[in-house]
């Protein structure tokens, strides 16, 4: 069975055709439980997310802040496994027909087996994988199997990435480019927004035809509208996880992430 890279591309193209950014949400699998996590992903789609990234919880994250680390710890203590991550993808896609990716560090995939992981992710209906710590120069094996199974390979770029490096990354990736900035978290809004916009412009200047989506730090509709003014997609993770963590019970958490998705979906359509 082939994965859903085409569905991902079509979804991002449809958002562009509507003259708006896509809303891309992130939630870790197994949080607060496997079943509860699946319910939360469906709720985010119901609220208005175009794409969801399902996180594969990891004990030693390098990109995730304390909020997502807390959720990962809950999932890991609950015994989450790669099979549960794949089940989350399968059930979310089956229920919604919308693109679902996995975001994971490289080590779990390497241990599981690249051929096995890509084949099972495609079978589950997955659209691809975001691999924040896999260097492009070491990604040939992954990309070979991902392409064979119809999966996107999304690489992460950062403000520190030099132009030559950006060109290498955009040439190797597929689906979209994940531009990691710190919107609304560190420094003033003006300086952070300028940094994110500059990264998007430099990434597009490589000549890539891939959409450039901005993540890390967006937490409300106003910030989503700001990023939507210059990015093809707005990626939101910690804000969803925090809503789940702060809720008095699971039902309230699911309602909270559905509501947040609705607010953010309005934000990406409004543009600041």
């Amino acid at each position: 069975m082939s994965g859903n890279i085409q569905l991902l591309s079509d979804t991002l193209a449809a958002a562009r055709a509507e003259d708006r950014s896509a809303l891309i949400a992130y939630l870790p699998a197994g949080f607060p439980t496997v079943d509860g996590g699946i319910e939360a992903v469906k709720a985010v789609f119901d609220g208005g997310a175009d794409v969801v990234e399902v996180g594969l919880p990891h004990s030693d994250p390098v990109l995730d802040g304390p909020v997502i680390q807390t959720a990962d710890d809950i999932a890991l203590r609950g015994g989450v496994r790669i099979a549960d991550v794949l089940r989350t993808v399968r059930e979310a896609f089956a229920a919604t027909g919308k693109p679902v990716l996995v975001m994971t560090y490289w080590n779990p995939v390497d241990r599981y087996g690249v051929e096995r992981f890509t084949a099972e992710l495609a079978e589950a209906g997955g659209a691809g994988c975001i691999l924040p710590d896999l260097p492009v120069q070491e990604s040939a094996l992954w990309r070979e199997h991902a392409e064979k199974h119809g999966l996107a390979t999304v690489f992460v770029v950062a403000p520190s990435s030099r132009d030559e490096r950006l060109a290498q990354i955009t040439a190797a990736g597929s689906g979209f480019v994940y531009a990691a900035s710190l919107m609304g978290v560190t420094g003033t809004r003006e300086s952070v927004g300028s940094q994110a916009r500059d990264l998007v412009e430099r990434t597009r200047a490589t000549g890539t035809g891939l959409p450039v989506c901005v993540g890390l730090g967006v937490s409300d509709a106003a910030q989503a509208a700001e990023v939507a003014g210059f990015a093809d997609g707005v990626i939101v993770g910690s804000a969803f996880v925090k809503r789940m963590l702060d809720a008095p019970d699971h039902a309230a958490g699911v309602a909270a992430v559905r509501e947040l998705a609705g607010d953010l979906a309005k934000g990406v359509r409004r543009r600041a």
Side-chain angles (χ1 to χ4, degrees), residues 1 11 16-17 23 45 47-48 63 68 77 94 98 148 163 166 175 179-180 183 199 210 240 248 255-256 261:
M1 177 176 174
T11 299
R16 174 174 288 201
L23 174 59
F45 271 132
L63 184 70
I68 292 174
R77 284 191 282 114
K98 295 182 179 180
K148 180 171 76 172
D163 291 348
L166 289 176
M183 293 295 303
L199 177 58
L210 295 175
F240 283 112

Side-chain angles (χ1 to χ4, degrees), residues 6 72 86-87 96-97 100 109 163 197 208 233 255 266 268:
Q6 191 60 52
D72 279 3
L86 295 169
R87 180 187 154 209
T96 67
V100 185
V109 175
D163 291 348
R197 185 187 296 270
T208 182
K266 292 175 184 175
V268 299

Side-chain angles (χ1 to χ4, degrees), residues 84-152:
D84 300 315
V85 178
L86 295 169
R87 180 187 154 209
T88 301
V89 172
R90 179 180 295 107
E91 295 196 15
F93 171 66
T96 67
K98 295 182 179 180
V100 185
L101 300 103
V102 168
M103 186 168 188
T104 178
Y105 297 102
W106 178 244
N107 183 258
V109 175
D110 190 37
R111 285 185 296 164
Y112 195 76
V114 175
E115 168 63 21
R116 180 185 177 193
F117 186 87
T118 51
E120 292 182 7
L121 180 56
E123 188 275 331
C129 209
I130 303 164
L131 299 156
D133 66 338
L134 177 63
V136 170
Q137 63 270 25
E138 298 175 19
S139 67
L141 177 65
W142 165 268
R143 287 187 286 126
E144 174 190 344
H145 289 292
E147 184 176 356
K148 180 171 76 172
H149 291 291
L151 298 170

Side-chain angles (χ1 to χ4, degrees), residues 27-264:
L27 283 168
F31 168 72
T33 63
V34 176
D35 288 343
I38 292 169
E39 188 179 359
V41 171
K42 292 177 183 178
V44 167
F45 271 132
D46 289 344
D50 298 289
V51 180
V52 169
E53 305 169 3
V54 172
L56 196 162
H58 194 271
S59 58
D60 186 27
V62 297
L63 184 70
D64 305 316
V67 171
I68 292 174
Q69 287 181 26
T70 298
D72 279 3
D73 183 58
I74 291 169
L76 290 168
R77 284 191 282 114
V80 70
R81 297 289 183 265
I82 287 180
D84 300 315
V85 178
L86 295 169
R87 180 187 154 209
T88 301
V89 172
R90 179 180 295 107
E91 295 196 15
F93 171 66
T96 67
K98 295 182 179 180
V100 185
L101 300 103
V102 168
M103 186 168 188
T104 178
Y105 297 102
W106 178 244
N107 183 258
V109 175
D110 190 37
R111 285 185 296 164
Y112 195 76
V114 175
E115 168 63 21
R116 180 185 177 193
F117 186 87
T118 51
E120 292 182 7
L121 180 56
E123 188 275 331
C129 209
I130 303 164
L131 299 156
D133 66 338
L134 177 63
V136 170
Q137 63 270 25
E138 298 175 19
S139 67
L141 177 65
W142 165 268
R143 287 187 286 126
E144 174 190 344
H145 289 292
E147 184 176 356
K148 180 171 76 172
H149 291 291
L151 298 170
T153 298
V154 178
F155 288 115
V156 178
V157 299
S160 59
S161 301
R162 296 183 177 181
D163 291 348
E164 180 182 356
R165 179 72 173 165
L166 289 176
Q168 293 174 343
I169 292 171
T170 58
S174 55
F176 63 91
V177 180
Y178 189 127
S181 186
L182 294 175
M183 293 295 303
V185 173
T186 302
T188 66
R189 287 182 54 79
E190 289 77 17
S191 65
V192 176
S194 174
Q195 187 179 55
R197 185 187 296 270
D198 177 68
L199 177 58
V200 171
E201 290 175 353
R202 290 198 298 121
T203 303
R204 287 180 177 148
T206 64
T208 182
L210 295 175
V212 183
C213 304
V214 170
L216 297 184
V218 172
S219 61
D220 59 35
Q223 290 176 339
E226 182 181 346
V227 178
F230 57 84
D232 298 300
V234 179
I235 304 170
V236 182
S238 294
F240 283 112
V241 176
K242 191 172 188 303
R243 290 287 183 101
M244 294 288 291
L245 287 169
D246 291 347
D249 55 52
H250 178 63
V254 170
V257 295
R258 182 184 291 109
E259 179 184 25
L260 178 59
D263 290 343
L264 293 167

